[in-house]
């Protein structure tokens, strides 16, 4: 999205906040736009998908509580109508005592800023056919190694745009991200199927430049080592991890175990701790 278009949206949302504050003590608007494209393939399957999601959330404070209204898409007439409906949800001020109004602490410093991630090669410059071909080429190079029985490659790209406006602030950001995840599969000496994976990240399609011939050789080499690795005997161990591995362990072992769908399926260790204290007060 061009900066001029973002500025136009800011100006329109500023007009909506003025409309809402005719009755509201405070109001703000949040615009969001997400777009993505995914390519996933291995020896037998190829999946390509894309998606877009745009919407606006209006919020107004009547002195006692916040009222919210969300709509999909960005149609100015619909947003104006939503603002009118939002105001109708307010209780009549005459029925409230002024002494009961709860003031909000709002930062009144006026700021108008825009952040945009620096991208060397915008994904829009690269045709889908080339993205598919690049992904297939990486897979085929890895599959030339006879020990590798399969290889799954996943390419993800996304653009997130957020615009927040209230009486004092007009803040916006546009963030792009690209990821290649490479997962070769190999049989262990015991005949088990094992795998290795490595991810490459960048703001734009320059991510492809990070996947060199040397990187691919290292991925294949590590996969072969995993095939020969001994299994750890189940039990409790004292472990010392680097900061990166500590974060990964917390995310995979504990983070996913606290998700409601995992608990619902009976697969979460966190289920044993529901309703119990698990940390110090300061946590």
């Amino acid at each position: 999205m061009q900066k001029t278009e973002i500025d136009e949206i800011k100006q329109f949302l500023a007009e909506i906040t003025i409309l809402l504050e005719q009755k509201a003590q405070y109001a703000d608007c949040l615009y969001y736009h997400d777009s993505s494209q995914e390519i996933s393939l291995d020896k037998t399957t190829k999946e390509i998908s894309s998606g877009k999601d745009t919407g606006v959330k209006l919020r107004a404070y009547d002195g006692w509580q916040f009222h919210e209204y969300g709509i999909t898409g960005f149609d100015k007439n619909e947003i104006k109508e939503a603002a009118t409906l939002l105001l109708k949800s307010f209780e009549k001020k005459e029925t409230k005592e002024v002494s009961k109004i709860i003031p909000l602490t709002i930062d009144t410093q006026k700021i108008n800023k825009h952040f945009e991630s620096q991208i060397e090669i915008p994904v829009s410059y690269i045709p889908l056919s080339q993205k598919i071909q690049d992904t297939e080429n990486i897979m085929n190079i890895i599959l030339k190694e006879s020990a590798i029985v399969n290889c799954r490659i996943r390419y993800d790209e996304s653009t997130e745009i957020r615009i927040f406006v209230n009486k004092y602030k007009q803040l916006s950001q546009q963030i792009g991200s690209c990821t290649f995840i490479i997962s070769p599969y190999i049989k262990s000496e015991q005949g088990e199927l094992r795998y290795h994976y490595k991810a490459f990240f960048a703001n734009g399609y320059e991510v492809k430049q990070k996947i060199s011939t040397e990187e691919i050789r290292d991925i294949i080499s590590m996969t072969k080592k995993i095939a020969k690795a001994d299994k750890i005997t189940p039990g409790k161990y004292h472990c010392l991890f680097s900061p990166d591995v500590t974060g990964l362990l917390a995310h995979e072992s504990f983070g996913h175990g606290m998700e409601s769908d995992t608990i619902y399926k009976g697969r979460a260790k966190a289920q044993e701790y529901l309703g119990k204290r698990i940390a110090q007060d300061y946590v």
Side-chain angles (χ1 to χ4, degrees):
M1 184 181 290
Q2 298 297 319
K3 178 65 165 54
T4 53
E5 188 177 355
I6 289 175
D7 288 340
E8 289 176 5
I9 294 174
K10 283 182 176 179
Q11 182 57 42
F12 173 72
L13 295 182
E15 294 170 4
I16 295 298
T17 59
I18 292 173
L19 173 63
L20 291 172
E21 288 190 350
Q22 290 178 358
K23 292 185 178 180
Q25 297 286 328
Y26 167 84
D28 59 40
C29 304
L30 176 66
Y31 167 92
Y32 67 87
H33 173 80
D34 297 332
S35 62
S36 64
Q37 188 164 76
E38 299 176 2
I39 301 169
S40 181
L41 55 87
D42 61 15
K43 285 173 65 173
T44 59
T45 61
K46 180 190 297 183
E47 299 174 354
I48 302 168
S49 62
S50 61
K52 288 185 178 181
D53 188 21
T54 303
V56 175
K57 184 175 79 170
L58 310 180
R59 198 168 64 138
Y61 181 66
D62 66 2
W64 298 272
Q65 62 180 339
F66 275 95
H67 301 253
E68 297 183 356
Y69 201 106
I71 62 172
T72 302
F74 186 78
D75 182 284
K76 290 184 177 180
N77 290 328
E78 289 183 3
I79 294 171
K80 290 178 181 178
E81 183 180 349
T84 302
L85 292 172
L86 181 60
L87 291 176
K88 286 182 179 179
S89 67
F90 280 31
E91 294 182 17
K92 289 184 178 181
K93 289 186 177 180
E94 301 86 69
T95 63
K96 296 286 186 179
E97 295 180 15
V98 177
S99 61
K100 291 184 178 179
I101 292 178
I102 305 171
L104 294 177
T105 303
I106 302 295
D107 181 4
T108 59
Q109 181 184 3
K110 291 195 173 184
I111 299 176
N112 187 344
K113 287 187 176 182
H114 176 70
F115 171 81
E116 193 164 327
S117 55
Q118 297 300 307
I119 295 174
E120 295 177 24
I121 308 175
V123 293
S124 58
Y125 290 6
I126 311 299
L128 176 60
S129 58
Q130 182 178 335
K131 296 171 186 175
I132 296 172
Q133 188 63 59
D134 289 343
T135 309
E136 290 178 338
N137 288 343
I138 296 169
M139 180 186 70
N140 291 332
I141 292 171
I142 294 176
L143 288 176
K144 284 181 180 179
E145 179 64 42
S146 59
I148 305 297
V149 297
N150 200 355
C151 182
R152 174 164 287 277
I153 311 288
R154 177 167 174 160
Y155 166 77
D156 290 337
E157 67 182 46
S158 68
T159 301
E160 297 182 358
I161 300 172
R162 300 288 185 271
I163 302 173
F164 173 82
V165 174
N166 67 14
K167 188 175 182 178
Y168 308 102
K169 306 285 188 286
Q170 294 189 9
L171 306 174
S172 57
Q173 65 180 29
Q174 181 166 306
I175 299 175
S177 63
C178 281
T179 309
F180 272 98
I181 302 176
I182 302 173
S183 303
Y185 289 78
I186 193 168
K187 279 192 175 181
S188 70
E189 294 181 348
Q190 295 78 29
E192 301 169 331
L193 198 63
R194 297 181 179 180
Y195 70 94
H196 170 51
Y197 80 90
K198 187 166 185 179
F200 298 85
F201 303 91
N203 292 333
Y205 203 70
E206 61 269 16
V207 66
K208 174 65 175 57
Q209 299 170 344
K210 296 185 176 184
I211 310 174
S212 63
T213 302
E214 183 180 354
E215 285 283 4
I216 292 176
R217 282 201 298 264
D218 289 343
I219 291 170
I220 293 172
S221 175
M222 180 59 71
T223 306
K224 288 181 176 180
K225 289 179 181 178
I226 288 174
K228 297 178 181 179
D230 294 330
K231 282 190 173 183
I232 297 176
T233 303
K236 293 184 178 180
Y237 297 86
H238 291 287
C239 301
L240 182 63
F241 295 126
S242 69
D244 286 348
V245 175
T246 301
L248 179 65
L249 178 70
H251 173 86
E252 300 295 345
S253 299
F254 306 111
H256 289 301
M258 291 191 288
E259 294 168 357
S260 58
D261 59 333
T262 310
I263 293 175
Y264 179 77
K265 294 172 184 175
R267 300 175 182 173
K269 185 72 174 174
Q271 191 168 9
E272 300 175 17
Y273 297 92
L274 290 176
K276 298 179 182 178
R277 175 181 171 138
I278 60 171
Q280 298 298 321
D281 289 341
Y282 61 79
V283 176

